[in-house]
Structures are given as C-alpha cells and as structure tokens.
C-alpha cells in the first residue's frame, strides 16, 4: 500500500485472543517498527481520522485512495 496508494490508510483490527499469542505480538511489533521507518507514515486512531475529515484536514477521497 505504501508504494501504490498516495495518502492511503492501512487499517488493522485484531481480536485480543488472536494477537495475544507471543509469536503474533512479536510479528505485530515488527510490522509497526517497519512501518515507522517509512517517510510520511503516521499512526492515528479512527476517531482522529474521522475528525480530520469532518474538519476538512483530510480529503475523504484521498483517504479512500481514489
């Protein structure tokens, strides 16, 4: 997604029973660390993104990758 969708959003939801296993927690940590190395990548919760769209700080079409 980073290479193909400018200003796109990657959404990840995980159930605690799934991600709570030690090997999965480590892989999630590795994913986050990898994502943090990419210029322009930011982390935000859904409420923040929605508020930014409502306030005109983000364009909804950009968020959708269109």
């Amino acid at each position: 997604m980073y290479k193909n969708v400018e200003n796109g959003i990657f959404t990840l939801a995980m159930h605690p029973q799934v991600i709570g296993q030690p090997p999965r927690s480590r892989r999630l940590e590795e994913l986050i660390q990898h994502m943090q190395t990419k210029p322009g990548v930011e982390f935000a919760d859904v409420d923040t993104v929605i508020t930014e769209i409502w306030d005109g700080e983000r364009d909804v079409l950009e968020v959708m990758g269109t």
Side-chain angles (χ1 to χ4, degrees):
M1 173 172 223
Y2 181 80
K3 292 180 182 179
N4 300 315
V5 180
E6 186 175 340
N7 296 321
I9 292 180
F10 174 77
T11 304
L12 180 66
M14 298 183 138
H15 192 280
Q17 291 176 330
V18 173
I19 196 58
Q21 303 299 316
R24 294 180 181 146
S25 296
R26 283 192 295 275
R27 295 298 291 172
L28 177 59
E29 184 175 341
E30 290 170 4
L31 173 64
I32 291 169
Q33 289 172 349
H34 171 74
M35 293 167 86
Q36 289 174 326
T37 67
K38 302 297 181 185
V41 169
E42 63 179 286
F43 293 84
D45 59 37
V46 173
D47 288 337
T48 300
V49 174
I50 291 171
T51 300
E52 290 175 354
I53 291 170
W54 284 343
D55 292 345
E57 297 171 21
R58 286 188 196 255
D59 185 309
V60 70
L61 294 178
E62 288 180 6
V63 169
M64 294 171 55
T66 59

